């Protein structure tokens, strides 16, 4: 600060007069109340000392304040300068600031603004202090003055100085205010100690803070400070565009890039291409270089040395993080392609390495080998793409893991390994083909001998002529049939392999001759066994378990087989005798078949059994113990005189059953068939829609029901038929009334 100028040596009277004049000049029309003049020399000296001390402090205050304002003005008015090395600056800054990244919320901005404004208002008071507090709040990051009209404040990461410019202004002014406040406590000097402290008067200089010149200097200093910190606000605003980069989620940013660059339908989208990734890396590197070029490490704004290096490193690190994530995409794709190539070639290699156990497997191997070039071309395209990705990693000097490096070169050498495998497999296949061809010749020679043996067995089969040994002979028949089936499979296999070897296909006509010769014997003995089994089951088994359709079908099949056997075995006496015996047995049983067909029809009800009981004059109501033998040998129902009466009742039961079943079917056809009822607009009512299916079904059922009403067999169902016809008619009439009614109120 400035020092007070030395005062000239003056006389006591002059000093007293000058002091009063200075007092009047310094503080205006208000006279300062000093101690009462004393007559003693000591009193006058004390008055002179107090006045001289007051004048000295007053001048010292003025000069110090002016020098402080001039000092701050000189430093604040310096132009912005980029600082390469802070140790070699021509001028020294008064303040050093760092640019920091802060997590900002609108609530924090309001609280900070209120606290700063309140503190400065309480320290300095008055309207000027309140205005300065509001200015501080407005300069906070993200305050209302920094966003466009209508913009919503939101939590984000913002750039800010380590010390806010408003706080610097407040501190510099606080130095002045605290100095002036210190003058207010100065009182007159009492050398003799004749007064109490409470009786001492304040010196005139204690009111220096209230004089106009002091207020003007303070206002000038404040204006200089406000002007000096204005470039700080402008500079921090110039850095605001970097806030988006600082707050960016790098993983989400790269994920969005990958999603935007993907191609294809949603369920088959391919990953973003290498060219797009490299272009994005170049973009990030260019942006990083631009940050390095455009942002200084330090900049001198007036007397403020701003350290930008931390922010600069963070921005470069953000760009590098994005580059690292992009390179991870490249690396992952390279590893994926290497794995795809390895799996594809390994599958081919494993298939080629499989041993061909026969000519069919060898042929399949040849077919597979024919398709290998197409598969390898696809995999070689993958190798080329994989190489591009690995070369991109090398170009950007990305460290590649040792395992990934090994996988790359393993995939790269697979085509050469596969060529060696194909050559080896080709040599082995040629050798195996010769061996399998020789093996086929041996198998065919053995088969020829076996076929000759089978032909001999079939030629001698006429020796079996004892019907009592039917079970044993049927076993031999089954064995020969199994052998023939096996021979048919073998001949088909031999012919197939001959074609695969390019050999002439052998015609195994001897086997066809054996099959043709054996067929009559098999037919004879199988039907003989079937007749013995069926005859016992049909005659002595439960009558209620007999199915008339199955009995008729099997019986007629055996009749046809025996008729054919009689013709076939005319020159074979033993077999002919068996065929005739079976034919005669079937003829005897034939009279029983109509009984089964009549009594086992599905229409038989209790009323029909009651009718038969009346007709036959004997109780007839089959239970689980009742057999066909009881019906024929016991009741003689197969007798030509009795059978027609039985058939008459059973035929009526069958026709009634047809009506009953038709009624049940009609009822079942309407199950689940509903008329469509739809709300009509906002009327609160509905309209009915009748489908074509329902209309057709209704018409058909009405016609069919009318036919039943004229049937002579409607008796048991007459009431049901009438009731069903009434229901159908009612539905038809309702539909005829509903449908014409709708248009009358709908339109």
């Amino acid at each position: 600060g400035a020092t007070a100028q030395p005062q000239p040596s003056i006389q006591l009277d002059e000093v007293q007069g000058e002091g009063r004049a200075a007092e009047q000049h310094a503080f205006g029309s208000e006279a300062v109340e000093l101690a009462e003049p004393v007559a003693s020399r000591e009193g006058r000296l004390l008055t002179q000392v107090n006045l001289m001390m007051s004048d000295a402090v007053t001048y010292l205050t003025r000069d110090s304040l002016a020098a402080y304002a001039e000092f701050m003005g000189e430093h604040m008015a310096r132009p912005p300068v980029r600082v390469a090395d802070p140790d070699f600056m021509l001028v020294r800054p008064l303040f050093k600031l760092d640019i920091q990244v802060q997590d900002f919320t609108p609530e924090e901005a309001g609280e900070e603004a209120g606290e700063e404004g309140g503190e400065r208002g309480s320290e300095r008071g008055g309207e000027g202090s309140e205005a300065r507090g509001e200015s501080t709040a407005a300069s906070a990051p993200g305050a209302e003055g920094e966003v466009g009209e209508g913009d919503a404040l939101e939590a984000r990461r913002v750039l800010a100085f380590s010390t806010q410019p408003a706080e610097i202004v407040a501190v510099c002014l606080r130095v002045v205010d605290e100095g002036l406040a210190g003058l207010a406590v100065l009182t007159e000097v009492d050398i003799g100690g004749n007064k109490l402290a409470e009786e001492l008067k304040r010196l005139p200089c204690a009111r220096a803070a209230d004089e106009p010149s002091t207020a003007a200097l303070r206002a000038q200093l404040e204006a200089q400070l406000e002007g000096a910190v204005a470039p700080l606000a402008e500079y921090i605003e110039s850095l605001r565009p970097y806030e988006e980069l600082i707050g960016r989620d790098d993983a989400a940013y790269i994920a969005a890039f990958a999603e935007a660059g993907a191609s294809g339908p949603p369920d088959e989208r391919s990953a973003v291409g290498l060219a797009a990734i490299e272009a994005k890396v170049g973009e990030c590197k260019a942006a990083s270089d631009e940050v390095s070029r455009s942002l200084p490490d330090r900049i001198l704004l007036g007397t403020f040395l701003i350290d930008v290096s931390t922010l600069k490193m963070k921005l470069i690190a953000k760009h590098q993080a994005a580059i690292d994530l992009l390179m991870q995409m490249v690396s992952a794709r390279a590893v994926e392609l290497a794995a795809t190539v390895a799996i594809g070639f390994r599958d081919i290699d494993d298939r080629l390495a499989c041993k061909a156990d026969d000519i069919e497997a060898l042929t399949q191997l040849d077919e597979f080998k024919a398709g290998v070039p197409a598969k390898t071309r696809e995999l070689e395209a993958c190798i080329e793409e994989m190489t591009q990705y690995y070369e991109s990693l090398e170009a950007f000097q990305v460290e590649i893991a040792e395992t990934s490096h090994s996988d790359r070169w393993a995939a790269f050498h697979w085509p050469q390994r596969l060529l060696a495998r194909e050559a080896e497999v080709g040599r082995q296949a040629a050798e195996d083909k010769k061996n399998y061809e020789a093996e086929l010749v041996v198998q065919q020679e053995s088969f020829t001998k076996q076929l000759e043996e089978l032909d001999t067995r079939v030629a001698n089969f006429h020796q079996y002529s004892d019907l009592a040994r039917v079970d044993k002979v049927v076993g031999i028949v089954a064995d020969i049939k199994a052998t023939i089936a096996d021979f048919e499979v073998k001949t088909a296999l031999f012919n197939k392999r001959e074609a695969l070897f390019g050999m002439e296909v052998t015609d195994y006509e001897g086997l066809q001759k054996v099959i043709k010769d054996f067929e009559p014997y098999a037919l004879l003995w199988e039907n003989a066994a079937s007749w013995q089994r069926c005859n016992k089951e049909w005659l002595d088994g439960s009558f209620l378990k007999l199915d008339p359709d199955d009995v008729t079908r099997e019986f007629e099949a055996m009749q046809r087989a025996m008729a054919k056997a009689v013709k076939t075995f005319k020159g074979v006496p033993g077999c002919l005798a068996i065929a005739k015996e079976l034919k005669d047995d079937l003829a005897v049983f034939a009279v029983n078949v109509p009984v089964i067909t009549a009594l086992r029809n599905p229409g038989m009800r209790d009323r029909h059994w009651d009718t038969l009981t009346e007709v036959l004059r004997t109780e007839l109501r089959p239970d689980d113990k009742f057999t066909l033998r009881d019906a024929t040998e016991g009741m003689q129902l197969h007798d030509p005189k009795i059978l027609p009466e039985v058939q008459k009742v059973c035929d009526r039961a069958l026709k009634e059953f047809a009506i009953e079943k038709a009624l049940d079917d009609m009822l079942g056809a309407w199950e689940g068939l509903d008329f469509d009822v739809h709300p009509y607009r906002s009327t609160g009512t509905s309209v009915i829609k009748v489908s074509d299916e329902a209309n057709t079904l209704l018409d058909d059922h009405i016609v069919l029901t009318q036919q039943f009403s004229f049937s002579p067999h409607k008796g048991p169902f007459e009431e049901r038929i009438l009731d069903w016809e009434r229901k159908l008619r009612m539905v038809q009439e309702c539909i005829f009334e509903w449908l014409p009614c709708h248009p009358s109120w709908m339109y």
Side-chain angles (χ1 to χ4, degrees), residues 286-489:
S288 179
D289 294 341
E290 176 62 21
V291 169
S292 298
R293 183 189 63 78
S294 60
L295 288 184
D297 291 335
R298 299 171 187 82
I299 185 171
L300 187 63
L301 295 179
T303 190
F304 300 98
L305 179 61
I306 302 174
D307 190 345
V308 194
S309 60
T310 301
L311 172 62
K312 187 175 180 179
M313 287 187 294
K314 287 183 178 180
L315 294 174
I316 293 174
K318 292 292 286 184
H319 286 301
Q320 187 60 44
I323 293 173
D324 292 342
L325 291 173
L326 290 169
M327 287 296 98
Q328 289 178 14
M329 291 175 59
V330 174
S331 178
R333 180 57 178 163
V335 171
E336 179 185 356
L337 288 170
T340 300
V341 170
I343 292 172
F345 275 107
R346 191 175 294 111
D347 290 343
I348 296 174
D349 185 71
D350 292 344
R351 179 64 183 86
L352 292 175
C354 290
K355 174 66 175 176
D357 296 328
D358 48 42
I359 185 59
E360 288 82 8
L362 196 59
T363 302
Q364 292 177 359
L365 182 61
D366 289 339
E367 293 174 353
F368 179 79
K369 286 171 59 180
V372 167
K375 294 181 179 180
T376 54
R377 281 194 296 271
E378 296 177 0
L379 294 173
E380 286 172 355
C382 289
I383 291 176
E384 183 177 352
E385 184 180 1
M386 175 199 70
T387 302
Q388 293 175 356
Y389 275 88
Y390 275 110
E391 288 178 351
S392 177
L393 292 174
E394 293 172 351
F396 288 109
Q397 299 180 349
V398 177
E399 183 178 357
I400 302 174
E402 183 177 353
T403 55
S404 178
H405 183 78
S406 300
D407 292 343
R408 171 193 179 182
W409 292 110
F412 185 81
H413 288 100
W414 257 114
Q416 288 77 13
R417 292 176 57 187
L418 191 62
L419 289 175
R421 172 69 73 180
E422 287 183 292
E424 178 186 353
V425 170
R427 291 191 297 270
Q428 184 64 42
E431 181 180 349
D432 290 342
K433 186 174 183 180
K434 293 180 180 179
N435 296 334
Y436 294 148
E437 186 173 0
E439 183 180 344
L440 176 62
V441 173
V442 174
Q443 291 175 349
Q444 287 179 310
E445 292 175 353
S446 176
F447 175 76
T448 301
K449 295 179 181 179
Q450 294 174 2
L451 183 58
E452 292 175 354
E453 295 175 357
L454 180 61
D455 184 46
T456 302
R457 290 182 66 189
V458 172
N460 296 327
F461 210 83
H462 63 276
Q463 62 182 337
Y464 298 106
S465 58
D466 186 0
L467 190 58
R469 302 176 61 192
V470 63
D471 293 336
K472 180 179 180 181
V473 177
V474 166
I476 298 173
V477 168
D479 180 62
I480 293 178
K481 290 183 71 173
T483 303
I484 290 175
D486 180 57
F487 280 12
E488 286 180 324
V489 173

Side-chain angles (χ1 to χ4, degrees), residues 2-307:
T3 57
Q5 299 295 329
Q7 300 295 325
S9 177
I10 55 177
Q11 299 297 324
L12 179 61
D13 293 339
E14 295 175 354
V15 169
Q16 183 178 2
E18 183 177 352
R20 292 172 183 267
E23 175 188 338
Q24 187 72 19
H25 173 71
F27 306 114
S29 59
E30 296 182 7
V32 179
E33 183 180 359
L34 296 176
E36 292 289 337
V38 292
S40 66
R41 184 177 181 84
E42 180 182 355
R44 291 195 300 271
L45 176 61
L46 185 60
T47 300
Q48 180 181 4
V49 169
N50 285 326
L51 290 174
M52 290 178 65
M53 183 174 63
S54 177
D55 286 346
V57 172
T58 299
Y59 287 125
L60 177 63
T61 300
R62 290 176 183 171
D63 294 342
S64 297
L65 185 58
Y68 181 63
E70 181 181 0
F71 173 78
M72 296 300 293
E74 290 177 357
H75 281 77
M76 298 294 180
R78 293 171 184 160
V81 178
R82 289 176 71 117
V83 178
D85 189 346
D87 295 332
F88 295 95
M89 292 189 296
L90 298 178
V91 293
R92 290 295 175 184
L94 296 181
F95 303 96
K96 181 179 179 181
L97 303 176
D98 294 331
I99 297 180
Q100 299 176 341
V101 179
Q102 299 177 350
D103 293 325
F104 168 75
T105 59
E107 292 78 5
E108 293 175 353
E111 293 174 2
E112 292 175 0
E115 291 173 0
E116 292 181 5
E119 290 175 0
R120 296 185 62 182
S122 62
E123 289 174 359
R124 293 160 53 188
E127 295 180 358
S129 297
E130 294 176 1
R132 285 188 292 274
E134 294 172 359
S135 175
T136 302
S139 64
E144 186 177 354
E146 293 192 3
V147 296
E149 183 177 354
D151 292 344
L153 297 177
E154 59 182 9
R156 63 187 187 277
R157 306 198 76 190
V158 298
L159 300 178
F161 291 111
S162 55
T163 302
Q164 291 297 324
E167 185 177 351
I168 295 174
V169 174
V171 170
C172 292
L173 293 177
R174 191 179 300 126
V175 172
V176 175
D177 294 338
E178 291 177 353
L180 293 175
L183 298 177
V185 300
L186 296 179
T187 59
E188 62 184 354
V189 177
D190 182 17
I191 299 176
N194 299 320
K195 296 181 179 181
L196 298 175
E198 293 79 1
E199 296 176 348
L200 297 177
K201 304 297 183 179
R202 292 172 60 194
L203 290 176
C205 65
R207 298 184 180 181
D210 298 327
E211 64 181 22
S213 60
T214 301
L217 282 174
R218 189 187 184 287
Q220 176 185 350
L221 176 60
E222 184 175 6
Q224 289 175 344
L225 291 171
E226 294 288 355
V229 298
L232 297 180
E234 295 175 1
Y235 187 70
I236 201 69
E237 284 301 318
S238 69
L239 300 179
R240 294 289 180 211
Y242 293 114
E243 290 179 352
E244 181 179 358
L245 176 60
I246 288 294
R248 183 182 72 190
D249 185 341
D250 296 321
Y253 173 71
I254 297 302
F257 161 74
E259 179 67 19
S263 59
D267 55 340
E268 299 179 1
R269 305 198 70 176
S270 59
V272 60
L274 178 61
I277 295 177
E278 290 180 337
K280 192 65 177 179
V281 171
E283 178 185 330
C284 293
K285 282 185 172 293
S288 179
D289 294 341
E290 176 62 21
V291 169
S292 298
R293 183 189 63 78
S294 60
L295 288 184
D297 291 335
R298 299 171 187 82
I299 185 171
L300 187 63
L301 295 179
T303 190
F304 300 98
L305 179 61
I306 302 174
D307 190 345

